Amino acid sequence: MQLYDKDLLSVQEVRELVEKAKTAQEELSKKSQKEVDAIVKSIAYAGVRNAKRLAKMAHEETGFGVEADKVIKNVFASNGVYEHIKDMKTIGEISRDEQRKVRTLAVPVGVIAGLIPSTNPTSTALYKSEIAIKAGNAIVFSPHPNARNCILETVKAIRQAIAEAGGNEDLVSCITIPTLQATDNLMRHADISMILATGGSAMVRAAYSSGTPAIGVGPGNGPAYIEKTADLPLAVKRIMDSKTFDNGTICASEQSVVCDEGMEAAVRAEMERQGAYFLDPEQIKKLGAFILRSNGTMNPMIVGKDAQTIADLAGIEIPKGTRVLVAKETGIGRGHPYSNEKLAPILAFYTAPSYVEICELCQEILHYEGAGHTFSMHTKDQSMVDYFAKRIPASRIIVNTPSALGGIGGTTGLMPALTLGCGAIGGSATSENVGPMNLLNTRYVAEGICEIEDIKADLPDCTEGVCKPQPKYDDIDIEAVVNEIIKRLRSA
């Protein structure tokens, strides 16, 4: 017999967590940059210390990915993020323009609601805790129910690290009774100032429709173009490394490989040499019917599983040691399941006559799913990079590196992040890799630098009914004027 209402308990828990977080954030707002940075550093070190233990928990609880790769993600999300943000000015005055007499002050947004996915649970909790506190905020997590225990254990380690650094451990907390009602109440709570949403499309849409300012991310569905000047073995290695890293659970990982028609045989041979298996037409049909559900969304049974497990689930036979499953694809959209995002070691394979058609193909793929997210290419031709960068609807153009690790800032100079904005085209509030600067407001202190008479003096001459701008000395080519004067003097 059930003696309690789980939904009511979870909603009450949210209220209590937010109240404590608000108090902790108010205390944090009185601390110096040095004190805040000490807390962030303590979290980073705790993340490294517990990286292996938390990775093991996440892998065992969710069944997703590769334990060793989750260790790397935990270290990246803690120490990698810390090294990038440690010298950022985020507290008090952060910049000053003496010439224009403008000072910029950082203002924390307050208490943030953080939604944590099951694909990257422990690493996302570490990363979001660091960037939230660095910006002077507190954060309350809503964990994915399928990763509840490992997220709670991560939060426990974070809270201890905060206390060790002299902070209030309620700066980071987590719902222990995860329900849809709890998440909804968290996002709509009057004392929640912002939502940082990482998860499925439905959850991100709910965040944006909650009435609370939100930063959410859309799906990734990035094509990878192997251009004819690329170092083919190295390009394929990078793609294979990326697509198998944590069994493809990073949304910036490659979802399709595209090459010129004339390169098809060479690319296929190199991919096969490095462990890819190209499915035959019957296998393509059989796996295609399995990777998407009837409503067109990704089948969660494939997420984070290795190639052999997926093949067994779909009832197809593949060679032993296969790393990635590849399907030759000719279309995009409904009826072409390989053109969708696949958070697993599964790739679509496309060809086109030239880079022009390939660019159009990649645009079509991203407009179908993944607009604003990530595109990768392998080339030695800078003009090709420029051509695609001007046309591809993606916020991240990743060049000559594994897309999964490059997109999150692991092998590139981008902000290390596990929340990747997709911009307006992808329905996101930002196109950036989300960091501390996205989680604070800026307040400007501006001193007067002129009087109204100065403004009037610069008004255009309108005496003849048509306003003519006053000439500015800055617009005059002094050298040309001097040369003209010298020319006239000589001819006089």
Side-chain angles (χ1 to χ4, degrees):
M1 180 178 177
Q2 188 170 344
L3 300 177
Y4 62 89
D5 188 311
K6 183 178 179 182
D7 293 337
L8 286 176
L9 284 176
S10 67
V11 169
Q12 180 59 35
E13 181 183 31
V14 166
R15 292 171 180 164
E16 293 171 357
L17 292 176
V18 173
E19 183 179 354
K20 291 178 180 178
K22 184 179 180 181
T23 299
Q25 192 279 323
E26 288 172 352
E27 292 177 12
L28 186 69
S29 68
K30 298 177 175 63
K31 292 185 179 294
S32 66
Q33 182 77 70
K34 184 177 180 180
E35 291 172 311
V36 170
D37 289 347
I39 295 173
V40 177
K41 182 178 181 179
S42 185
I43 295 172
Y45 286 10
V48 173
R49 286 196 308 272
N50 292 279
K52 185 173 179 62
R53 180 175 68 88
L54 295 175
K56 181 178 176 63
M57 286 190 67
H59 182 256
E60 290 178 348
E61 184 174 7
T62 66
F64 295 161
V66 179
E67 184 179 322
D69 292 343
K70 290 189 180 298
V71 175
I72 295 172
K73 285 204 288 191
N74 285 340
V75 174
F76 164 81
S78 50
N79 195 60
V81 171
Y82 169 71
E83 288 296 327
H84 190 90
I85 69 175
K86 65 180 182 179
D87 296 323
M88 287 183 182
K89 289 184 177 180
T90 55
I91 304 297
E93 183 176 298
I94 58 176
S95 70
R96 179 186 292 242
D97 187 328
E98 295 290 0
Q99 183 178 357
R100 291 180 173 81
K101 295 188 177 181
V102 175
R103 293 185 294 136
T104 306
L105 309 181
V107 181
V109 297
V111 181
I112 296 171
L115 310 187
I116 307 293
S118 57
T119 47
N120 308 300
T122 57
S123 51
T124 299
L126 288 162
Y127 149 71
K128 287 187 176 181
S129 296
E130 287 190 25
I131 63 172
I133 293 176
K134 176 70 175 181
N137 307 299
I139 189 164
V140 178
F141 290 128
S142 174
H144 192 289
N146 294 340
R148 171 188 175 274
N149 294 334
C150 63
I151 293 171
L152 286 173
E153 188 64 24
T154 305
V155 169
K156 180 180 177 182
I158 292 169
R159 286 168 63 88
Q160 181 178 338
I162 293 171
E164 290 172 354
N168 186 330
E169 61 184 22
D170 289 327
L171 286 170
V172 177
S173 55
C174 185
I175 297 169
T176 63
I177 312 171
T179 65
L180 289 175
Q181 288 77 6
T183 301
D184 185 65
N185 273 266
L186 176 65
M187 293 192 297
R188 296 176 185 275
H189 196 289
D191 288 326
I192 291 294
S193 302
M194 179 179 283
I195 303 167
L196 192 52
T198 309
S201 297
M203 184 60 74
V204 172
R205 284 195 299 270
Y208 276 120
S209 62
S210 67
T212 303
I215 296 177
V217 296
N221 192 28
Y225 175 33
I226 302 178
E227 197 265 335
K228 62 184 179 181
T229 64
D231 180 330
L232 182 54
L234 182 57
V236 171
K237 174 192 178 296
R238 288 166 172 163
I239 292 171
M240 296 291 285
D241 287 346
S242 179
K243 194 58 178 167
T244 56
F245 183 79
D246 206 28
N247 285 339
T249 53
I250 293 179
C251 54
S253 64
E254 298 84 347
Q255 303 299 319
S256 54
V257 172
V258 192
C259 69
D260 296 76
E261 288 176 352
M263 294 180 63
E264 179 175 359
V267 171
R268 175 168 178 160
E270 184 59 38
M271 290 181 71
E272 289 175 334
R273 190 184 72 80
Q274 297 195 35
Y277 174 67
F278 281 71
L279 304 167
D280 63 37
E282 185 61 31
Q283 291 173 324
I284 289 174
K285 183 178 179 181
K286 202 166 186 179
L287 179 59
F290 182 75
I291 62 178
L292 293 184
R293 294 183 289 190
S294 58
N295 62 1
T297 60
M298 192 184 343
N299 184 348
M301 292 181 71
I302 71 167
V303 175
K305 300 297 190 297
D306 60 43
Q308 187 62 61
T309 300
I310 293 170
D312 292 342
L313 289 169
I316 60 176
E317 292 187 8
I318 62 173
K320 186 177 180 180
T322 295
R323 299 174 65 201
V324 175
L325 303 172
V326 186
K328 181 69 183 291
E329 184 60 270
T330 57
I332 299 165
R334 295 183 68 86
H336 301 279
Y338 296 95
S339 66
N340 286 70
E341 181 186 39
K342 306 162 291 294
L343 296 180
I346 303 171
L347 285 169
F349 185 75
Y350 293 91
T351 61
S354 73
Y355 73 88
V356 175
E357 288 89 348
I358 285 173
C359 188
E360 292 171 352
L361 174 70
C362 292
Q363 291 177 62
E364 188 178 350
I365 291 171
L366 287 165
H367 280 302
Y368 168 59
E369 185 178 47
H373 207 287
T374 305
F375 167 79
S376 64
M377 61 188 302
H378 302 265
T379 179
K380 295 178 182 177
D381 188 341
Q382 185 59 46
S383 67
M384 283 291 100
V385 177
D386 295 341
Y387 183 88
F388 279 77
K390 290 176 182 177
R391 294 167 174 80
I392 293 294
S395 301
R396 280 155 288 278
I397 308 296
I398 307 303
V399 182
N400 295 329
T401 195
S403 186
L405 299 172
I408 65 173
T411 60
T412 63
L414 296 175
M415 164 71 206
L418 292 170
T419 299
L420 311 181
C422 297
I425 194 170
S428 181
T430 181
S431 57
E432 297 180 0
N433 283 19
V434 177
M437 303 310 291
N438 299 104
L439 306 182
L440 54 79
N441 292 319
T442 47
R443 179 177 298 152
Y444 299 95
V445 179
E447 297 181 35
I449 55 175
C450 69
E451 300 295 338
I452 192 169
E453 289 79 8
D454 300 312
I455 296 173
K456 289 179 178 179
D458 288 335
L459 291 175
D461 180 4
C462 302
T463 56
E464 298 179 4
V466 178
C467 294
K468 300 176 182 179
Q470 297 279 14
K472 295 280 188 179
Y473 289 117
D474 291 345
D475 299 331
I476 299 174
D477 188 336
I478 302 298
E479 185 177 354
V481 172
V482 171
N483 289 337
E484 180 64 23
I485 293 171
I486 293 174
K487 181 180 176 181
R488 291 182 182 183
L489 289 173
R490 286 176 177 172
S491 62

